Amino acid sequence: MQMVIANKKGTFNCPLCNEECVIPPEGVDGFRTDFLMKSVLECLQLQNTFKKDNVRRCHGCEGTKMVTSYCFKCRGFLCQQCSQFHLSNKMVQDHLPHLLNLQTIDVRSLTLEKLTSLTEDPRCAVHVKRLDEMCCETCGNIPTCTTCCSFGKHKGHVTHEVKISAEREGEKLKKMMSELEKCRDNLYELPKRVARVRQALESNIMEQLRKARSGHKKASERILKKAAEERGVLEEQRKEIIKQKKDDFDQVHIELEEEMMKLKARYDNILEEKEQNYSKKEEKVAAQTSVVDKKSSVNMEDLNDKLRSYEQKVRASRVDNEKMITEVADHSTHTINRYENFTATAKTVQASHDEWTEAQCLPAITAAGETLIEDAKKEFGDLESLSKTSVGDALMLSARVGITGSHESVVDIKGMGSGWRVNGITSGSDGHIVVTGYAQGDKSHITVINREGGVVRQDQINKVAGSGNIPYRHCHSLSEHLTATVCQSNQVGLYDNRSGKYVGNNIHDMNVSWPGCARCVCTDRLNNIYVGGGRRDVLVFDDQLNHHRTIKLPEITNHARDIAVHGDHLIVCDAGDISSYVVSMQGEEAEVVHQLPTPDGGLFPLSVCTDSSQYIYMLWYRSGGRILAQYSQDGCQLLTTREVDEDAQCIATIVTDEGEKMLVVTQYSKKMYTFGLLDE
């Protein structure tokens, strides 16, 4: 021990379990005596004697002889003659219970339990003739005699009989060992989970990169193919112009020959004029060809930059995930080592059946066990999520997307009464679409329709009892068959698009501070559900409808009319302002990243969504109409606008066999418009 604490100041790390220990002011002498270890060493010393038949110094006659017994009261070996003296002399008769005959016991039969029965109980350091029969709890369970407890330095302290202390600490240890045993399977399963997560992470990384490169290849082929097609069309136009020019010239020459003399000056002017006209046409085609080539080059450079940026983000996310996985693995290894050391030590103490050892050692062992149990019970519920990166889908590696000039189709949504309204829309499974809104009285509706507006299934849901809010209902797709939905009566729920099963919770029953009503909902790729509308609060739920955090929007906002997740950010349509913002989602206090440009004539934003390439679309209200605006992928540029139905209320995108489409649905007339989204 002296070597262990050498050159240490104040504390040192235990060489067995690596726990930090305080060095007493007295140094090595200040540590409490480990009766268990002392007995173990004594047992090992005797066992070595049996093995070697050593000639030792006799404690009685002090001669160097073959020893035949060991007296635990004298603490020494005895030769045959001195051993007989111990057996026959009445003055040392009290030594008989502590005398071990080395000739009748072998190394295998000498156990710690037998050794404990032979050793003498410790004696008082002050009254050496008295045995220590008490433990002083005030002084850290040190042994003492009854005289010291009554009249000595332990007078007035909290003391217990050693047997009672041993029984009490033994019971604590049994309970702790039982609780640790319950954690054993989970503890040893954790390294296996870590290995599986690492393997899944590597597989997902490779799959993500494969998809990204495949998408890059396909997009490159589309750009080059489109440019080649346009050049081909322009080349045909140029050839047609040259052919027309030749035909026209031939005709002019025929007429010129017929009236050469009379009209030569006139036809010279005609030729010059036509030459100028055709030159302009050729220059126009050449300029258009140059624009196509330049546009193709810019798109390719942009696409290559996106791929490089995406690969860097994937690699960085992999490093972050691996770091967190390593922290879990280190915690697992350290906890398992502590568990094995703890159980080995505890079982050794239990096997000794030594009341003094239990009274002295068990308090420290149980104290170490409490922190061990806390660490062993850690579940690491988010461990499996580390197999996925936080980088968005590789589908954003595409050329610029534009909205078709006019809608491709418009249909009436069927199955709704005259007073019903549509407040939300999202894409569902099997090419179906989910629309939600107010039905009648205290009911809202969730309706699954096809592209032609026909009803696939429809359900009506009662609003929360006692709520004074009109039950307008909003929705957003959570997974292939599940839709996350909220009602302004402060109800959040999940709807199965196939079976119609609905599970909902009242937000006010979830012990959540919520000052407003639920006006909008969106989801992210990790199946988190974001609910907005409560002043500046956005509530975040998991896919089991458990609330796990609240995001406070920046003070510049009033409350959210609609929201959408965009990478690591949140797009907010502010209901109290004419503005919309991109804000951060990290931490509890969101910060404005930037403000989206407001289109000409826009009064306030109504609805927002994104496409698979991460372009942003927003429906704006303006006096006497609605504007559908498209923004760049970072939201900093307003790319284009379209006028849409003046009753338009919400928007969403859907992926079809013909490509991605934009859906615009009206509130009162219950019409659904479809626009195409095309590579430009």
Side-chain angles (χ1 to χ4, degrees):
M1 180 60 77
Q2 186 65 48
M3 295 177 62
V4 172
I5 67 173
N7 301 323
K8 303 291 184 180
K9 293 184 179 181
T11 61
F12 73 99
N13 291 333
C14 174
L16 183 60
C17 66
N18 205 35
E19 288 294 312
E20 187 176 64
C21 304
V22 178
I23 301 174
E26 302 86 354
V28 172
D29 295 337
F31 288 106
R32 289 189 295 179
T33 300
D34 189 338
F35 292 102
L36 174 64
M37 188 57 68
K38 186 176 180 182
S39 297
V40 171
L41 293 175
E42 206 167 52
C43 182
L44 293 174
Q45 183 182 22
L46 289 174
Q47 289 175 337
N48 289 333
T49 301
F50 303 158
K51 294 176 182 178
K52 299 178 181 178
D53 293 330
N54 287 345
V55 175
R56 294 179 173 271
R57 181 175 175 274
C58 176
H59 181 72
C61 62
E62 297 187 354
T64 303
K65 300 178 181 180
M66 182 70 70
V67 294
T68 61
S69 63
Y70 183 84
C71 180
F72 285 91
K73 197 169 184 70
C74 296
R75 296 289 181 181
F77 292 94
L78 300 173
C79 66
Q80 179 66 34
Q81 184 178 356
C82 293
S83 178
Q84 291 297 326
F85 175 78
H86 259 61
L87 293 171
S88 60
N89 195 321
K90 293 184 178 181
M91 290 190 299
V92 289
Q93 193 172 9
D94 59 332
H95 289 214
L96 293 181
H98 307 289
L99 190 64
L100 176 65
N101 190 338
L102 303 179
Q103 295 176 329
T104 61
I105 188 166
D106 58 26
V107 63
R108 290 170 295 181
S109 62
L110 181 59
T111 64
L112 189 60
E113 185 174 358
K114 289 182 179 180
L115 187 64
T116 302
S117 66
L118 293 170
T119 55
E120 184 185 28
D121 290 342
R123 291 184 177 273
C124 178
V126 179
H127 308 92
V128 293
K129 292 185 178 182
R130 288 185 173 274
L131 294 176
D132 288 329
E133 300 173 348
M134 307 293 288
C135 284
C136 181
E137 184 178 327
T138 304
C139 298
N141 273 4
I142 66 171
T144 183
C145 68
T146 55
T147 303
C148 287
C149 292
S150 302
F151 307 103
K153 66 176 184 179
H154 298 289
K155 181 180 180 181
H157 290 190
V158 178
T159 59
H160 303 284
E161 291 183 14
V162 64
K163 181 176 181 180
I164 295 175
S165 295
E167 290 175 352
R168 181 185 59 196
E169 298 299 335
E171 285 300 319
K172 288 183 182 177
L173 179 61
K174 287 180 182 178
K175 293 180 181 179
M176 187 167 292
M177 291 290 289
S178 176
E179 188 168 359
L180 273 175
E181 189 62 27
K182 295 177 182 177
C183 301
R184 183 178 183 278
D185 292 342
N186 183 52
L187 188 60
Y188 280 97
E189 177 64 20
L190 187 55
K192 298 177 183 178
R193 288 175 60 199
V194 169
R196 290 196 297 269
V197 169
R198 276 188 171 141
Q199 183 178 3
L201 173 63
E202 183 65 25
S203 175
N204 288 339
I205 288 293
M206 297 304 295
E207 180 63 15
Q208 281 184 282
L209 293 177
R210 185 193 67 76
K211 289 182 179 179
R213 289 163 184 157
S214 175
H216 173 268
K217 180 180 178 181
K218 291 179 181 179
S220 300
E221 292 173 351
R222 288 200 304 271
I223 291 173
L224 296 176
K225 180 180 179 182
K226 190 175 183 63
E229 291 174 352
E230 292 181 359
R231 282 197 297 271
V233 171
L234 293 172
E235 179 63 20
E236 290 298 322
Q237 293 179 4
R238 190 183 71 82
K239 290 179 179 179
E240 181 65 24
I241 291 172
I242 293 174
K243 180 178 179 299
Q244 291 177 1
K245 175 182 176 182
K246 181 179 179 302
D247 294 344
D248 208 355
F249 271 37
D250 289 345
Q251 180 65 33
V252 170
H253 283 300
I254 292 173
E255 294 176 359
L256 182 62
E257 288 177 1
E258 292 176 353
E259 298 186 9
M260 182 70 72
M261 298 302 296
K262 287 197 293 183
L263 304 176
K264 185 178 184 301
R266 178 184 173 190
Y267 280 103
D268 284 342
N269 292 333
I270 293 175
L271 286 173
E272 182 178 357
E273 181 180 350
K274 289 186 177 294
E275 180 67 35
Q276 291 176 354
N277 290 337
Y278 287 119
S279 294
K280 289 179 181 180
K281 290 181 180 180
E282 288 182 354
E283 290 172 359
K284 183 178 179 181
V285 171
Q288 290 175 335
T289 303
S290 176
V291 170
V292 169
D293 291 341
K294 183 177 180 181
K295 182 179 178 180
S296 174
S297 176
V298 169
N299 285 342
M300 284 300 300
E301 289 179 5
D302 180 61
L303 194 62
N304 292 333
D305 289 342
K306 288 178 181 178
L307 178 61
R308 286 191 291 270
S309 175
Y310 184 82
E311 290 179 338
Q312 290 175 355
K313 290 179 180 178
V314 169
R315 294 190 187 100
S317 180
R318 176 183 182 177
V319 170
D320 293 340
N321 286 17
E322 181 61 34
K323 180 179 178 182
M324 289 186 281
I325 292 172
T326 301
E327 290 176 357
V328 176
D330 291 344
H331 170 86
S332 171
T333 301
H334 180 62
T335 305
I336 289 174
N337 290 338
R338 288 169 58 202
Y339 167 78
E340 293 174 347
N341 291 333
F342 179 88
T343 53
T345 303
K347 290 177 180 178
T348 302
V349 172
Q350 288 177 321
S352 73
H353 299 292
D354 185 349
E355 295 177 344
W356 276 111
T357 299
E358 294 176 354
Q360 289 292 109
C361 298
L362 293 187
I365 293 175
T366 54
E370 291 174 356
T371 58
L372 175 59
I373 289 174
E374 290 180 4
D375 290 340
K377 284 184 176 180
K378 287 185 178 179
E379 294 293 337
F380 296 100
D382 296 334
L383 178 60
E384 280 69 19
S385 67
L386 296 179
S387 64
K388 300 179 182 179
T389 67
S390 60
V391 184
D393 201 333
L395 288 174
M396 66 180 294
L397 296 175
S398 64
R400 176 175 166 179
V401 176
I403 310 174
T404 54
S406 59
H407 58 265
E408 295 179 350
S409 66
V410 56
V411 298
D412 292 317
I413 301 175
K414 302 172 179 62
M416 297 191 183
S418 59
W420 289 32
R421 300 180 188 178
V422 177
N423 306 115
I425 184 172
T426 189
S427 58
S429 58
D430 303 324
H432 294 154
I433 301 160
V434 180
V435 292
T436 59
Y438 171 71
Q440 55 187 354
D442 291 337
K443 296 181 182 293
S444 60
H445 72 88
I446 303 177
T447 305
V448 182
I449 62 174
N450 54 31
R451 293 277 304 280
E452 291 73 38
V455 176
V456 177
R457 68 170 302 111
Q458 185 178 81
D459 293 279
Q460 296 185 34
I461 301 171
N462 291 322
K463 75 174 184 178
V464 174
S467 172
N469 296 324
I470 298 175
Y472 296 128
R473 184 168 290 277
H474 311 271
C475 60
H476 196 278
S477 177
L478 180 67
S479 62
E480 184 179 5
H481 301 297
L482 284 180
T483 297
T485 176
V486 296
C487 183
Q488 286 189 202
S489 63
N490 286 320
Q491 187 182 64
V492 58
L494 296 176
Y495 181 80
D496 191 315
N497 306 335
R498 300 166 301 177
S499 65
K501 179 181 179 181
Y502 175 78
V503 178
N505 290 334
N506 184 354
I507 294 177
H508 289 307
D509 291 340
M510 302 174 69
N511 196 25
V512 176
S513 176
W514 182 246
C517 59
R519 297 178 181 272
C520 51
V521 62
C522 68
T523 61
D524 64 16
R525 57 185 296 272
L526 298 179
N527 287 347
N528 292 312
I529 302 170
Y530 300 78
V531 178
R535 299 292 188 267
R536 291 165 45 222
D537 290 343
V538 174
L539 304 182
V540 186
F541 300 86
D542 61 20
D543 57 5
Q544 302 299 313
L545 300 182
N546 298 311
H547 173 261
H548 59 84
R549 71 185 182 107
T550 299
I551 301 173
K552 180 73 72 174
L553 295 178
E555 292 185 0
I556 193 173
T557 63
N558 185 292
H559 68 271
R561 185 184 302 275
D562 196 13
I563 53 178
V565 173
H566 187 259
D568 295 332
H569 299 142
L570 194 66
I571 307 172
V572 180
C573 295
D574 190 5
D577 195 357
I578 62 170
S579 304
S580 54
Y581 302 93
V582 175
V583 304
S584 63
M585 291 195 297
Q586 288 75 25
E588 296 182 356
E589 295 286 340
E591 297 181 356
V592 174
V593 178
H594 58 78
Q595 181 177 340
L596 279 74
T598 301
D600 292 340
L603 295 180
F604 57 81
L606 289 172
S607 181
V608 62
C609 70
T610 62
D611 63 17
S612 59
S613 298
Q614 295 300 297
Y615 284 93
I616 302 171
Y617 302 86
M618 192 167 290
L619 182 65
W620 287 82
Y621 172 84
R622 74 172 184 180
S623 180
R626 302 287 192 273
I627 300 173
L628 177 60
Q630 181 198 30
Y631 295 86
S632 59
Q633 291 165 308
D634 59 8
C636 294
Q637 295 181 338
L638 177 62
L639 301 180
T640 186
T641 60
R642 297 279 187 278
E643 289 193 9
V644 293
D645 194 306
E646 63 181 6
D647 186 32
Q649 180 66 18
C650 43
I651 58 176
T653 60
I654 184 173
V655 177
T656 70
D657 293 339
E658 301 85 31
E660 195 164 12
K661 306 293 182 181
M662 168 63 64
L663 303 176
V664 180
V665 67
T666 61
Q667 180 176 201
Y668 295 99
S669 60
K670 298 176 280 293
K671 295 181 181 295
M672 183 174 67
Y673 293 83
T674 302
F675 292 83
L677 299 180
L678 305 175
D679 290 348
E680 293 186 348

